[in-house]
Amino acid sequence: MDCIFCKIIAGQIPSDVVYTDNKVIAFRDINPLAPVHLLIIPREHITTLNDISEQETMLMGHMLQVARQLAKQHGIATKGYRVVINCGPQGGQVVQHLHMHLLGGRELSGGMG
Ligand code: AMP
């Protein structure tokens, strides 16, 4: 499958991995928008949030737990951070593999788009 994030999971293209388990991996965004900008993605290829089945809602909960843990490890838990999932063209999703952005380390604007 021609998916850049599947290639990162397979180790076919390099990335700065900060967390891995049997369900997800997390790595630094190549074009960071904040001092901490991590992407948390499922190992399984799921295209968008729309493609999450009811059984997979546990996976979303796990991704949020990983985001919280990474926020703590990267020193942004107390001051605050943002978790974002872009979905589909109007949602600004560029990479067609479900991912959660974890952003922090600076004052983020209050705007939502
Ligand atoms: P989105 O707009 O939500 O689809 O975000 C995709 C994100 O993936 C962007 O913030 C990109 O900078 C990031 N990205 C694209 N390719 C790579 C890569 N090879 N390694 C790390 N991050 C990437």
Side-chain angles (χ1 to χ4, degrees), residues 41-94:
I41 71 171
R43 287 185 175 276
E44 184 190 348
H45 181 88
I46 298 168
T47 308
T48 79
L49 187 59
N50 286 337
D51 303 302
I52 287 282
S53 67
E54 214 167 297
Q55 295 93 309
E56 285 163 335
T57 52
M58 290 283 283
L59 173 66
M60 299 308 298
H62 180 63
M63 287 169 73
L64 281 169
Q65 288 291 355
V66 170
R68 273 171 25 139
Q69 185 182 324
L70 288 172
K72 208 169 174 186
Q73 279 169 10
H74 289 259
I76 58 172
T78 307
K79 282 194 172 171
Y81 54 90
R82 186 168 290 167
V83 173
V84 176
I85 299 174
N86 295 327
C87 180
Q90 288 204 341
Q93 183 175 2
V94 174

Side-chain angles (χ1 to χ4, degrees), residues 3-31:
C3 167
I4 194 163
F5 285 178
C6 284
K7 286 182 180 161
I8 285 177
I9 291 163
Q12 289 165 359
I13 60 169
S15 67
D16 191 354
V17 174
V18 295
Y19 175 85
T20 177
D21 66 26
N22 62 347
K23 294 190 187 70
V24 305
I25 76 161
F27 50 92
R28 290 186 198 278
D29 196 293
I30 205 168
N31 182 25

